[in-house]
């Protein structure tokens, strides 16, 4: 049984079809990158899995349990968390208050302190700035905070939308290093929207290529980078 399964998913915004009859499966502990041109449906796919966007039809499962129709909070309670594009931190709250927002729905209150320490160990700058306004953080630090907030929900599956967006390469390296460390430490299953096939190849994992709301390629990220199949996905060649 796969950890995460998507079956015949369709997402529409009025007359616009963003996702068309898409199916995929992700194994437990796997790291899966999703790439493709703007408008391919990558963010819509993650949003539908997380319950932030309503599917026109189809089914989403985690550990064999149907998530479809549960809504964002219900899905989060079952162990799926999302780091959204643009971070969406609460700029008026402190760093630690932002992290505690992630823990707000948890029932295992006794474990929250240990998870907070895990986040601070992974991202020492967040410990240093714990009482500072989150709005004063740099873009890279805000990305770390968004990842830390997701960890505070105690997820089994984490969706990450464009973690490298707008960040300098050196900062992206650091973000990915820490994200991979957290995956190994906590046994996370990761699904990451990433535009750069070269970046995905360096980090390592499986890649799904999307175009026009469909998956047009599935394989090892390093193979896609080496064979330039990402270009084919962008411009409509065979994948």
């Amino acid at each position: 049984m796969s950890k995460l399964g998507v079956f015949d998913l369709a997402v529409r915004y009025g007359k616009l079809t963003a996702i068309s009859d898409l199916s995929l499966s992700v194994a437990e502990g796997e790291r899966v990158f999703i790439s493709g041109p703007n408008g391919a449906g990558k963010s819509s796919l993650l949003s539908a899995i997380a319950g932030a966007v309503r599917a026109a039809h189809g089914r989403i499962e985690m550990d064999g349990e149907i998530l479809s129709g549960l809504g964002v909070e219900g899905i989060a309670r079952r162990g799926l968390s999302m780091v959204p594009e643009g971070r969406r931190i609460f700029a008026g709250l402190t760093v630690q208050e932002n992290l505690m927002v992630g823990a707000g729905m948890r029932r295992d209150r006794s474990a929250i302190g240990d998870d907070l320490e895990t986040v601070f160990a992974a991202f020492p700058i967040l410990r240093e700035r714990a009482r500072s306004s989150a709005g004063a953080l740099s873009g890279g630090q805000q990305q770390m905070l968004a990842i830390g907030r997701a960890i505070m929900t105690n997820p089994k599956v984490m969706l990450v939308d464009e973690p490298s967006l707008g960040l300098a390469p050196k900062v992206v390296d650091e973000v990915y290093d820490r994200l991979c460390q957290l995956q190994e430490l906590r046994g996370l299953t990761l699904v990451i929207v990433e535009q750069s096939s070269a970046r995905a190849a360096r980090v390592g994992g499986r890649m799904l290529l999307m175009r026009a709301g469909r998956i047009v390629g599935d394989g090892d990220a390093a193979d896609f980078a080496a064979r330039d199949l990402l270009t084919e996905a962008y411009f409509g060649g065979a994948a």
Side-chain angles (χ1 to χ4, degrees), residues 49-52 67-78:
I49 294 171
L67 301 183
S68 309
L70 291 179
V72 174
E73 185 171 335
I75 290 172
R77 285 188 183 279
R78 284 159 177 79

Side-chain angles (χ1 to χ4, degrees), residues 131-194:
R131 298 186 184 279
S132 300
S133 168
L137 299 178
S138 69
Q141 291 165 358
Q142 289 184 8
Q143 185 65 67
M144 295 173 190
L145 178 56
I147 292 169
R149 183 178 59 191
I151 290 292
M152 291 300 295
T153 69
N154 191 28
K156 296 178 286 186
V157 176
M158 197 156 80
L159 315 178
V160 189
D161 197 354
E162 297 270 26
S164 59
L165 187 66
L167 303 182
K170 185 176 180 179
V171 177
V172 177
D173 287 342
E174 184 178 4
V175 167
Y176 266 114
D177 283 348
R178 306 299 169 80
L179 183 58
C180 292
Q181 288 170 13
L182 286 167
Q183 180 183 21
E184 183 175 355
L185 178 66
R186 301 182 68 91
L188 290 171
T189 301
L190 288 179
V191 180
I192 307 168
V193 168
E194 174 56 68

Side-chain angles (χ1 to χ4, degrees), residues 110-131:
S110 62
I112 290 174
D114 288 342
D115 285 347
L116 185 62
E117 182 57 35
T118 295
V119 171
F120 284 154
F123 303 114
I125 189 62
L126 299 184
R127 186 196 303 275
E128 294 175 22
R129 306 290 297 276
R131 298 186 184 279

Side-chain angles (χ1 to χ4, degrees), residues 74-93:
I75 290 172
R77 285 188 183 279
R78 284 159 177 79
L80 187 147
S81 187
M82 180 170 170
V83 180
E85 180 182 354
R87 277 83 77 172
R88 299 185 196 172
I89 62 160
F90 298 102
L93 300 181

Side-chain angles (χ1 to χ4, degrees), residues 211-235:
R211 186 176 69 242
R214 299 177 183 274
I215 293 173
V216 296
D218 182 348
D220 184 81
D223 289 342
F224 281 115
R227 295 166 57 197
D228 204 23
L229 292 181
L230 190 65
T231 300
E232 296 179 6
Y234 271 66
F235 296 105

